Amino acid sequence: MAVTAKSFQLWRCRIAPQATVSDLCREAGIKRSTLAQQLVRGKVAVVTVVAIARAYAVPPVKALGEFDGYRDIPRGVALPTDAELISQVSDTDLLRLIVARSEGREGIGRDLRLEIAHLPHRHSVRAWFDAIDPGELRQTLAARTGIAPQNLSAQLSAGRLTTGLAVEAARIARVSLTSGLVVTGLLTPSEGGWAEGSRARSLSNLPDSVLLLLARDRLDSLGKQVRRQEHGNNRDRAIWENLG
Amino acid sequence: MSAAEVIKWSVFGLCVIFALIRVPDALRGRNRSVFLSLVLLALAVGLSLPPLYLAVDQLLGGVNIANLVIRLSLYAIFAILGVRTAIAFGSQRTRRIIAGPIGLAVLAITVLVTVALFVVSDLPESSTGLRAYGDQQAVQWYADMGRYYPGYVAACLLSPATGGLLDGAARPIHRICSGLMAFGFALVVVFAVASIWGPLGLFDVILPFGAIVFVTVGLTVAWISRRRSEAGSQRNLLA
C-alpha cells in the first residue's frame, strides 16, 4: 500500500524543508522520473519513502509512522519471535548446522561459529508467513484486506508481499509490525528492530530433533518446488529443441 | 493487384524471412527439419503466385508438375511439423497418431491417390492453381486431397497446442507460441471442412494463408524464445 502524494509532500517538507524534489532524488539515489511519476499518480511507493528517510537520517520506521495505514508501526515494533528468526535462516545454513553439530563443531547452547547468510534468503517471505501463521492467516488476511486468496498465494510463491499486506499479516499474527518489512527486504534487520546475532542465538538454542525435523520440512517443500521447476524446464526444452 | 495477390505475396515474403533467419542454425545442424519445412512452405507459397508458378512449371515441362510439387511439399510440411509440434508439446499420443502406423498409412494413401488423380487429370498447359481445369472431376478430387491430410494433422495437433496455451505454469512466450499455432491449426481444420461445401471466395485465400501466418509466427516465437534462453545462463535450482 503506497502513501498519498499529499501526505508525502507534507512529510518531506518537514524532514527537508529546503530540498527540492531533485535534491531528494539525488540524495536518496532514486530516479527523478520515478518519483515524478509517483507524484503525478498521487501515490508514492513505500520504498521511496524509506530511501528518502535513510538519506536524511530519519529512522525508516519513524518515517512510515507518519502515514495513514502505518501510524501504529513505531509503537508496534517488538522483538522478533524465535519462530520468525529461525524462518529467516536459509535451508543451506540449516543443513550446514546439522553437519557441523554431527561433527562436534557446533553444540546446543554454544555460540554459533557458523557464518549464516544475510537476510533475506530465497524463501524468506513464505517461510516467515508460515512461521507466524496462527492457523488461518491467509483467510483472515484476505478477508481483512480484500485481496483475492489466489493473488496472495501468487505473491508468496514469488517471494513477494506488498507492504500493506506484510504489516497487516503481522497485526493479525500479533508479532512485531516491522517483521514483514524486514523479510521482504524493505527494511534492514537493524532498522526493523532485529538485534545483531539474534538469528544465530535462536539457532544455537534449537534442539537437534527440532533442527532435523525443520530441515526435513524445508527440504520437502524445496524438493517439490525444484521438481516443478524441472518439469517446467523440460517442457521449455522440448519446445526449444523441436520448434525453436 | 487484387486482395488475394497482396495476401499471397506478403505471406510469401514472411515465409522467406522466417526461413532465412534459421539458416545459420540449420548450417550448424540445429533443428534442420523445421528449417526444411519452412523452405518447403516458402516454395509452396511461392508457387501459388502466377509469375513464379509459370516460370518454374516451364522448367518442369509445362504440364503442371509444379502443382504436384506444391501438394507433396504441403504433405511433407505437415508430416514434419506435426511430429515436431507433438513432441514439443509433450504429446506422445499425437506423435503416434501422425507418425505411427495409422498416420503413415494415411500419408501413403494420400500421396498415392494424389499422384494417381494428377496422372489421370488432363492438364496440357501450365495453369496456376489448376484454375483452367476446375471443371474436371479428377482435378476437384485432387484439390480435396490437398486439404484432407493437412486437415487431419492439424486436427490432431489442436488439443496439444491448446493445452500449451492454457497451461498457466508455462512461460508467457511459450503460451503465445502455443496459442498462435493452435489458432493456425484451427484455421487449417476449418478450411478443410468448409471446403467440402464448395468454393469459399476470398476465404479460399484468407483461411489457408492466415493459417500459414499464425503457424510460422508461432514457430518464430519459439525460435526467439530459444535464442533468448541461450543468451541467459542456466539457472542453478539449488542456489
Side-chain angles (χ1 to χ4, degrees), chain B residues 64 116-125 127 129-144:
Chain B
N64 293 301
L117 286 169
F118 179 82
V119 171
V120 300
S121 300
D122 182 27
L123 312 166
E125 269 180 57
S127 167
L130 304 186
R131 247 168 258 133
Y133 311 106
D135 51 349
Q136 288 181 41
Q137 187 62 61
V139 170
Q140 286 169 20
W141 284 337
Y142 169 82
D144 290 340

Side-chain angles (χ1 to χ4, degrees), chain B residues 56-208:
Chain B
V56 172
D57 200 46
Q58 278 315 308
L59 294 177
L60 296 173
V63 289
N64 293 301
I65 288 177
N67 194 281
L68 190 60
V69 170
I70 298 180
R71 298 290 158 216
L72 298 180
S73 299
L74 277 179
Y75 300 156
I77 292 162
F78 272 88
I80 295 170
L81 283 188
V83 172
R84 284 286 159 192
T85 311
I87 301 174
F89 292 123
S91 177
Q92 287 303 319
R93 201 165 53 96
T94 309
R95 189 188 63 83
R96 276 197 302 275
I97 297 175
I98 297 170
I102 301 176
L104 292 180
V106 171
L107 177 59
I109 293 169
T110 309
V111 170
L112 288 176
V113 173
T114 302
V115 173
L117 286 169
F118 179 82
V119 171
V120 300
S121 300
D122 182 27
L123 312 166
E125 269 180 57
S126 278
S127 167
T128 315
L130 304 186
R131 247 168 258 133
Y133 311 106
D135 51 349
Q136 288 181 41
Q137 187 62 61
V139 170
Q140 286 169 20
W141 284 337
Y142 169 82
D144 290 340
M145 291 309 294
R147 288 187 288 267
Y148 291 157
Y149 182 72
Y152 166 78
V153 175
C156 295
L157 293 173
L158 258 184
S159 148
T162 311
L165 170 67
L166 299 179
D167 178 6
R171 288 171 187 246
I173 192 167
H174 288 172
R175 296 182 70 182
I176 294 170
C177 160
S178 314
L180 288 166
M181 294 187 75
F183 192 73
F185 295 140
L187 289 181
V188 175
V189 175
V190 169
F191 180 55
V193 173
S195 298
I196 294 172
W197 290 283
L200 307 168
L202 189 56
F203 281 97
D204 268 330
V205 177
I206 292 175
L207 287 174

